[in-house]
């Protein structure tokens, strides 16, 4: 470490100043007198020709003393800064440790749980590796961290066939109700062997809190359903979360690598997909599972016939492209949805999904009546068949829905270069399919609106501009209170489309609506009043963010909406 050396006379002057400062009550009323006590004495007399030389010499001496004092202070300040950095660097760990030691165990435990949840969300479910990156790491920081981590079952609940047998045994011993991940994409070794070892260790299945499986091969899917059904005998009594993902792979979709008994029934069940991407054998196995406490179900790229889950709260279903000749069967989808009528939240994700005429429901088919459905989310993209989307929304009675969220993504990547080009007009077709309410349905139900009780509506379009059919949309949702539009490069709601007045609006948010004009937005709000008068008293908040075409008119909006306007 560097030493500290300053001029003795300068140091004495600084010490004298500090002494005087203390005697003056730590307050300089005259800084010049404090640093230059002989200044006034030198210049009390009027400067004359006879004393000019003497006063000049005195001034030079004062300046030399001040420069010397300033240099000494700069040297001391630099030394102090250097020492400060060294002490900070060497004490950070001990200060941090002291800070952690002051936190109670229950607070640290909650921090560990939140960290674990964040890692799970960011890592992506299905790997089962989050438990390794959180629990194992935390347990190695220090004795206290290890002691706390070992007493938090949630940190040790994620068990996967990726793990070694000794680690699986370790996790099972620390968590009574594990979250089991089964993955067939093992880079080396046999997936079947690792899964068999896993299931043998984490038995019994009736103590699992959650189960997730991922596979690309249909035969792997059969292996999964057969194994779970056999070892559990359908008893999954406390399972709360079930995620099953058939990740489509063009190269392996038609390949069966698991050897089955050479019976006609097995092969017929696997090959006969009937627009469900799910064999009759596997569907029968799945229907044997008893799931009385299941709250959340997520299914990707297959349609089961039925699920025994009378208390289901949330269901997410994703259907995507499964090959050039594959079409999804809406009749089978209706049968599945009829088995989960107690659901409160439904989410459909459709990516390049298609159907064909014989898989559509007959016109006027009885709609599914959901008992508690409040939240409906539809994500749709690529070259998804709008007839599939129309058939999906038409098969359901949506009068109970209060929260409707529509996300459209058009520029999805093609699977291969020879795939058909994406249609520019797809989003408008999607919206027409979702919000259309044909006359035969109106006569049958006696209703005028498709979504008569929706209060919150969100429309989100990624990447493409469109002519949005606002007239059909607002006609279908007459009670909308909260409206959120994110429609880049799309024209705004134009009153020339004979828009309904939307008199129930309370909160409006326009985000990245880059092509909305001032005139369109102003007319939209003005149209709510009688005979073209402004009617904004019921509006509680209007938020405008990233709308480039409106940025020069902020003052005009402020004048009309006042404090109700939030501009970002």
């Amino acid at each position: 470490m560097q030493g500290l050396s300053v001029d003795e006379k300068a140091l004495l002057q600084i010490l004298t100043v500090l002494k005087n400062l203390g005697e003056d009550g730590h307050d300089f009323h005259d800084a010049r007198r404090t640093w230059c006590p002989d200044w006034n004495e030198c210049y009390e007399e009027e400067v004359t020709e006879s004393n000019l030389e003497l006063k000049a010499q005195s001034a030079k001496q004062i300046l030399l003393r001040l420069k010397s004092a300033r240099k000494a202070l700069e040297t001391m300040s630099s030394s102090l800064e250097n020492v400060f950095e060294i002490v900070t660097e060497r004490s950070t760990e001990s200060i941090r440790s002291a800070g952690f030691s002051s936190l109670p165990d229950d607070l640290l435990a909650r921090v560990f749980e939140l960290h674990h949840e964040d890692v799970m969300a960011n890592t992506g479910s299905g790997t089962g590796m989050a438990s390794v990156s959180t629990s194992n790491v935390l347990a190695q920081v220090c004795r206290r961290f290890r002691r706390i981590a070992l007493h938090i079952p949630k940190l040790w609940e994620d068990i996967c066939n990726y793990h070694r047998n000794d680690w699986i045994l370790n996790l099972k011993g620390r968590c009574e109700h594990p979250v089991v991940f089964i993955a067939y994409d093992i880079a080396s070794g046999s997936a079947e062997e690792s899964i068999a070892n896993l299931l043998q260790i984490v038995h019994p299945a009736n103590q699992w809190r959650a189960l997730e499986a991922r596979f690309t091969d249909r035969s792997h899917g059969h292996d999964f359903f057969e194994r779970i059904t056999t070892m559990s005998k359908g008893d999954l009594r406390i399972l709360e979360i079930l995620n099953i993902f058939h990740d489509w792979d063009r190269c392996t979709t038609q390949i069966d690598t698991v050897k089955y008994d050479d019976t006609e029934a097995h092969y017929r069940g696997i090959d006969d997909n009937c627009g469900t991407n799910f064999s009759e054998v596997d569907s029968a196995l799945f229907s044997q599972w008893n799931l009385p406490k299941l709250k959340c179900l997520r299914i990707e790229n297959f349609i089961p016939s039925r699920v025994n889950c009378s208390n289901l709260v949330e269901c997410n279903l994703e259907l995507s492209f499964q090959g050039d000749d594959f079409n999804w069967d809406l009749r089978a989808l209706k049968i599945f949805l009829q088995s989960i009528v107690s659901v409160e939240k439904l989410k459909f994700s459709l990516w390049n999904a298609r159907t064909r005429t014989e898989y559509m429901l007959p016109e006027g088919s009885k709609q599914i009546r959901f008992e508690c459905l409040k939240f409906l989310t539809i994500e749709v993209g690529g070259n998804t068949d709008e007839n599939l989307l129309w058939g999906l929304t038409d098969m359901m009675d949506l009068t109970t829905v209060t929260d409707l969220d529509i996300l459209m993504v058009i520029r999805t990547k093609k699977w291969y270069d020879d795939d058909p080009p994406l249609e520019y007009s797809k989003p408008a077709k999607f919206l027409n399919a979702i919000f259309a309410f044909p006359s035969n349905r109106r006569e049958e139900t006696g209703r005028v609106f498709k979504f008569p009780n929706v209060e919150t509506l969100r429309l989100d379009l990624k990447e493409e501009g469109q002519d949005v059919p606002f007239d059909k949309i607002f006609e279908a949702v007459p009670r909308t209170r909260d409206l959120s539009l994110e429609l880049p490069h799309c024209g705004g709601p134009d009153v020339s489309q004979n828009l309904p007045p939307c008199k129930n609006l309370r909160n409006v948010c326009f985000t990245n609506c880059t092509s909305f004009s001032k005139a369109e937005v102003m007319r939209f709000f003005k149209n709510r009043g009688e005979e073209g008068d402004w009617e904004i008293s019921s509006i509680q908040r209007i938020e405008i963010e990233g709308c480039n075409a409106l940025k020069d008119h902020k003052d005009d909006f402020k004048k009309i909406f006042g404090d109700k306007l939030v501009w970002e």
Side-chain angles (χ1 to χ4, degrees):
M1 182 181 294
Q2 295 181 347
L4 176 63
S5 177
V6 295
D7 181 74
E8 182 178 357
K9 291 182 178 180
L11 180 59
L12 289 174
Q13 182 183 6
I14 294 171
L15 292 174
T16 300
V17 170
L18 294 175
K19 179 182 178 182
N20 293 337
L21 178 61
E23 292 175 351
D24 290 344
H26 310 288
D27 188 12
F28 282 153
H29 296 289
D30 189 344
R32 188 181 63 180
R33 178 184 292 276
T34 301
W35 287 100
C36 310
D38 51 351
W39 173 267
N40 289 338
E41 180 181 346
C42 178
Y43 279 89
E44 280 180 356
E45 299 178 5
E46 183 181 352
V47 178
T48 62
E49 186 176 346
S50 60
N51 63 11
L52 177 61
E53 183 65 26
L54 178 62
K55 290 182 179 293
Q57 290 297 327
S58 297
K60 289 180 181 180
Q61 292 177 2
I62 292 172
L63 289 173
L64 287 173
R65 291 203 311 271
L66 290 175
K67 289 180 179 179
S68 181
R70 183 176 67 179
K71 183 177 179 181
L73 287 172
E74 289 174 348
T75 301
M76 294 169 66
S77 177
S78 177
S79 176
L80 177 62
E81 184 67 27
N82 183 47
V83 172
F84 180 82
E85 292 178 359
I86 293 173
V87 172
T88 299
E89 180 181 351
R90 295 183 179 180
S91 63
T92 297
E93 289 300 323
S94 59
I95 292 174
R96 183 182 293 118
S97 299
F100 273 116
S101 65
S102 66
L103 296 175
D105 286 359
D106 58 344
L107 183 57
L108 267 181
R110 183 55 183 151
V111 171
F112 291 173
E113 288 181 342
L114 292 174
H115 173 66
H116 173 75
E117 292 171 3
D118 183 64
V119 171
M120 284 291 292
N122 292 324
T123 302
S125 58
T127 65
M129 300 304 291
S131 59
V132 177
S133 62
T134 55
S135 57
N136 201 28
V137 171
L138 287 171
Q140 297 182 53
V141 173
C142 62
R143 290 181 179 178
R144 187 184 180 211
F145 276 32
R146 179 176 178 80
R147 173 175 56 80
I148 295 173
L150 290 177
H151 287 83
I152 306 176
K154 191 170 188 177
L155 298 186
W156 310 92
E157 67 179 2
D158 310 306
I159 303 178
C160 182
N161 59 298
Y162 280 152
H163 299 151
R164 304 185 313 272
N165 286 350
D166 57 343
W167 180 252
I168 295 174
L169 283 167
N170 183 31
L171 294 175
K172 185 176 185 293
R174 293 175 181 169
C175 183
E176 183 179 0
H177 304 298
V179 175
V180 178
F181 295 92
I182 295 177
Y184 283 83
D185 56 343
I186 300 293
S188 60
S190 169
E192 289 78 17
E193 181 179 352
S194 68
I195 292 169
N197 292 336
L198 170 72
L199 297 180
Q200 183 177 5
I201 296 173
V202 297
H203 189 84
N206 60 20
Q207 294 302 305
W208 296 351
R209 188 180 71 84
L211 171 62
E212 177 167 318
R214 286 183 178 271
F215 46 84
T216 58
D217 194 320
R218 289 194 187 111
S219 61
H220 287 161
H222 174 75
D223 181 71
F224 165 73
F225 286 105
E226 188 172 52
R227 286 181 186 274
I228 298 299
T229 305
T230 301
M231 65 96 62
S232 70
K233 295 182 172 55
D235 183 6
L236 296 163
R237 66 184 69 175
I238 71 167
L239 199 73
E240 298 177 0
I241 301 171
L242 176 60
N243 299 328
I244 306 176
F245 304 111
H246 185 162
D247 296 323
W248 181 81
D249 188 330
R250 194 172 199 155
C251 297
T252 64
T253 297
Q254 301 297 335
I255 300 175
D256 290 323
T257 59
V258 177
K259 295 181 179 180
Y260 304 115
D261 295 336
D262 191 11
T263 62
E264 181 183 356
H266 267 302
Y267 286 104
R268 184 175 65 248
I270 293 171
D271 295 336
D272 184 12
N273 292 288
C274 299
T276 64
N277 204 29
F278 201 43
S279 72
E280 294 177 2
V281 172
D282 295 341
S283 186
L285 291 171
F286 191 28
S287 66
Q288 296 177 34
W289 295 12
N290 186 29
L291 304 160
K293 292 191 175 181
L294 191 68
K295 300 298 181 184
C296 181
L297 172 64
R298 184 175 177 186
I299 292 175
E300 183 176 304
N301 288 327
F302 70 95
I303 302 175
S305 59
R306 61 185 297 272
V307 183
N308 294 317
C309 49
S310 57
N311 294 304
L312 189 66
V313 174
E314 180 177 355
C315 179
N316 297 339
L317 177 64
E318 178 173 328
L319 304 177
S320 63
F321 181 76
Q322 295 296 304
D324 294 332
D325 299 324
F326 187 87
N327 294 274
W328 290 103
D329 190 341
L330 290 175
R331 302 166 304 175
L333 179 58
K334 182 178 182 180
I335 294 173
F336 164 66
L337 293 177
Q338 286 173 330
S339 71
I340 58 169
V341 292
S342 64
V343 73
E344 297 178 15
K345 299 180 180 179
L346 262 180
K347 179 179 179 180
F348 298 99
S349 301
L350 308 173
W351 310 115
N352 291 305
R354 299 182 302 199
T355 190
R356 61 189 184 201
T357 304
E358 55 265 39
Y359 285 168
M360 296 287 289
L361 292 163
E363 185 176 339
S365 297
K366 185 178 180 180
Q367 293 182 316
I368 305 169
R369 173 70 178 178
F370 292 96
E371 301 168 358
C372 307
L373 182 60
K374 298 295 183 184
F375 302 89
L376 176 63
T377 299
I378 298 176
E379 294 181 344
V380 55
N383 273 327
T384 293
D385 185 351
E386 60 271 19
N387 291 320
L388 184 150
L389 188 56
W390 179 86
L392 171 64
T393 57
D394 185 65
M395 74 171 64
M396 299 181 290
D397 181 341
L398 301 172
T399 56
T400 60
V401 175
T402 60
D403 192 299
L404 179 60
D405 197 346
I406 309 296
L407 170 65
M408 297 168 289
V409 181
I410 306 307
R411 292 191 181 276
T412 55
K413 66 178 181 181
K414 297 181 180 181
W415 295 104
Y416 287 85
D417 292 337
D418 58 352
D419 283 343
L422 302 177
E423 294 184 30
Y424 172 80
S425 60
K426 273 293 184 181
K429 292 181 179 180
F430 293 155
L431 291 171
N432 278 310
I434 293 171
F435 290 98
F437 197 44
S439 57
N440 66 312
R441 284 297 185 196
R442 299 188 183 201
E443 295 173 1
E444 171 194 335
T445 62
R447 300 196 318 269
V448 178
F449 312 109
K450 190 167 186 176
F451 301 95
N453 294 305
V454 164
E455 295 182 353
T456 300
L457 173 64
R458 287 178 291 273
L459 295 181
D460 187 351
L461 171 65
K462 301 298 183 185
E463 303 173 11
E464 287 283 352
Q466 291 288 309
D467 294 325
V468 179
F470 287 108
D471 53 342
K472 290 185 175 62
I473 294 172
F474 291 138
E475 180 184 11
V477 289
R479 294 186 179 179
T480 299
R481 293 170 54 89
D482 303 317
L483 174 65
S484 178
L485 302 179
E486 185 166 354
L487 302 172
H489 309 297
C490 297
D494 194 335
V495 295
S496 64
Q497 296 179 335
N498 296 319
L499 299 182
C502 305
K503 293 183 178 294
N504 292 299
L505 279 181
R506 297 295 180 268
N507 302 293
V508 180
C509 179
F510 297 146
T511 303
N512 298 326
C513 297
T514 51
S515 296
F516 278 24
S517 69
K518 172 192 171 184
E520 289 172 332
V521 174
M522 291 296 191
R523 286 197 299 266
F524 172 69
F525 286 102
K526 198 168 184 179
N527 187 49
R528 301 175 65 249
E530 298 293 337
E531 298 181 358
D533 295 329
W534 285 101
E535 177 51 60
I536 62 171
S537 60
S538 60
I539 295 293
Q540 298 173 356
R541 177 186 175 94
I542 173 171
E543 183 176 342
I544 297 177
E545 178 182 356
C547 300
N548 297 336
L550 303 179
K551 63 182 181 180
D552 293 333
H553 306 288
K554 179 179 179 180
D555 292 340
D556 296 331
F557 283 97
K558 188 70 174 177
K559 185 184 298 184
I560 296 172
F561 294 102
D563 294 337
K564 298 177 181 180
L565 177 66
V566 177
W567 196 282
E568 298 183 2

